[in-house]
Amino acid sequence: MTVSRIHLPVFSQLLPARRHRDADAHSRAVAAFARAHIRPEFTAQQTADWWTWIVPDARQSLYHGNCFNQVLWAMDTYAYAKDVITALHDELLSGPTARPSASDWGRALATAWQPLAQDMTPAMRTRFAAAVADFLQAQATEADIRNSQVLHHDFHSTLQLRCRTTGGPWAFPLIEHAMGIDLSGLLHQPGPLPELLQAATEHGSLVNDLCSVRKEILDDDQAGTLAALMATEGLSLQQAVDRVCAEITARETTLLTLIAEISASPLGNRADVQSYLAAVTAFAAGNLHWSLITPRYHGVGYQWPGHVASWYSMHPHRPDFIPDTDAPAQATAEGSHLGSAAPARTSAAR
């Protein structure tokens, strides 16, 4: 597929994003782990920076959680082999042990997993292991899709699968751990907190698919929501991009609405819930910001114009972001904060 450029709007409801105060030192330490346990060239993607954008207010060390993330990011980059993913899934479900793993991936995973597991509450450890195991199972399913090149599902089915891989469901227990809280009991009960988690996960998946569009086209990757919309609904790439952008905006509206509702309820009086609401907002904003600037999706050396409506030219060697000077004026990012008036909740985000 040959595509010259697409138009991207500006997403202003959750921005600006903030970065952890020790971001640079942390990213260097995690990059050293990646060089030692993954591959030296992997650090050029700067995935270690992602964690510093999505957990800016961490109260505990980010190191082991981000090291674990690096292994998952790297698996998404290098290891689509279903037998490798299945073996790691089986190892993870057996729990943190000292026995050697059968693969380099398993050894890297265990290096980060064992100190994390020892520092988590049993309930959080169970949630985290289940989320990563589900991620690995979903990765195996996406491996089948990539290998077949013909298997497409509708948008909503594809989104639910992407939520299990690119939406970062494993990241939320790690975020709680970094924030020094554990909402395992509340998140297993019906109510607004699980709804908030689902909206944040869908937002993360959609942002990933939108911002990685150039990479997926160059890789002929058919597993994402953009490819599903084009294959099953007959949309052009720009039409698929517009649809995904509308879905992202809907999730942002839902996030802000739910946060306002929870904050105004008795549940919102709890300090751990207040921390969680702030953390979910930071995750959504930080993931969006990082996805727009990361070399993982856009290559090295491009110029990002900031949070403005842009034309995105997808050259093979690097993209160009060209500000759209004809776009209507947008609300400033500074206008969106946790305590602002909540917009009406939209059913499109369900």
Side-chain angles (χ1 to χ4, degrees):
M1 183 191 308
T2 302
V3 179
S4 58
R5 66 179 188 172
I6 57 173
H7 188 267
L8 297 175
V10 60
F11 301 98
S12 61
Q13 293 190 87
L14 296 175
L15 299 170
R18 294 176 295 107
R19 203 174 180 206
H20 192 274
R21 62 188 179 278
D22 297 325
D24 290 340
H26 172 77
S27 292
R28 286 194 298 270
V30 175
F33 169 89
R35 284 192 294 272
H37 296 281
I38 303 175
R39 298 182 185 181
E41 67 271 18
F42 181 66
T43 59
Q45 298 189 19
Q46 296 180 15
T47 54
D49 291 351
W50 181 66
W51 203 236
T52 68
W53 283 104
I54 69 166
V55 200
D57 301 315
R59 299 168 186 167
Q60 301 190 68
S61 172
L62 298 176
Y63 178 73
H64 293 298
N66 201 357
C67 289
F68 197 100
N69 280 322
Q70 294 311 294
V71 182
L72 299 187
W73 282 103
M75 287 179 58
D76 184 57
T77 303
Y78 300 119
Y80 286 142
K82 190 172 182 179
D83 56 341
V84 173
I85 295 171
T86 301
L88 286 176
H89 171 262
D90 294 343
E91 288 180 17
L92 186 77
L93 288 183
S94 69
T97 67
R99 66 180 176 83
S101 172
S103 70
D104 290 341
W105 294 110
R107 285 188 288 274
L109 207 64
T111 300
W113 168 228
Q114 290 174 10
L116 272 176
Q118 293 165 5
D119 196 40
M120 288 178 169
T121 66
M124 181 181 290
R125 186 164 58 245
T126 298
R127 284 171 51 213
F128 178 61
V132 177
D134 186 64
F135 164 82
L136 294 171
Q137 287 182 318
Q139 282 281 81
T141 300
E142 285 197 353
D144 288 338
I145 293 174
R146 291 184 175 94
N147 292 335
S148 71
Q149 294 292 304
V150 295
L151 180 61
H152 285 99
H153 298 289
D154 61 66
F155 170 78
H156 293 289
S157 298
T158 301
L159 176 58
Q160 293 314 303
L161 178 61
R162 297 295 277 172
C163 282
R164 296 167 59 197
T165 56
T166 64
W170 74 90
F172 289 97
L174 289 181
I175 291 171
E176 289 176 56
H177 177 261
M179 295 296 293
I181 59 176
D182 184 355
L183 296 186
S184 297
L186 289 175
L187 289 169
H188 276 113
Q189 300 173 8
L193 282 175
E195 287 186 60
L196 179 67
L197 179 58
Q198 181 63 28
T201 303
E202 291 182 4
H203 184 272
S205 299
L206 292 163
V207 165
N208 173 282
D209 284 2
L210 175 67
C211 294
S212 65
V213 56
R214 170 184 165 273
K215 177 178 179 292
E216 293 187 0
I217 287 174
L218 292 176
D219 294 344
D220 195 24
D221 190 337
Q222 302 292 308
T225 51
L226 289 167
L229 287 168
M230 296 170 69
T232 64
E233 298 188 21
L235 301 185
S236 68
L237 178 60
Q238 183 62 60
Q239 289 172 329
V241 165
D242 292 343
R243 169 76 174 276
V244 168
C245 289
E247 299 281 352
I248 290 171
T249 299
R251 269 56 175 196
E252 291 183 349
T253 299
T254 297
L255 282 169
L256 291 173
T257 300
L258 286 168
I259 287 168
E261 290 178 358
I262 296 168
S263 296
S265 72
L267 191 61
N269 293 325
R270 290 180 46 161
D272 55 352
V273 171
Q274 293 170 10
S275 294
Y276 187 75
L277 298 181
V280 170
T281 305
F283 165 83
N287 179 62
L288 173 58
H289 182 90
W290 177 86
S291 298
L292 288 166
I293 66 174
T294 178
R296 177 176 174 84
Y297 300 152
H298 310 297
V300 177
Y302 76 99
Q303 295 296 314
W304 181 63
H307 292 290
V308 296
S310 305
W311 291 101
Y312 182 64
S313 298
M314 295 181 286
H315 306 298
H317 57 293
R318 61 168 174 75
D320 285 327
F321 278 103
I322 303 171
D324 180 6
T325 57
D326 295 326
Q330 299 285 341
T332 63
E334 286 76 15
S336 58
H337 296 286
L338 209 72
S340 59
R345 190 187 305 186
T346 172
S347 60
R350 291 291 177 266

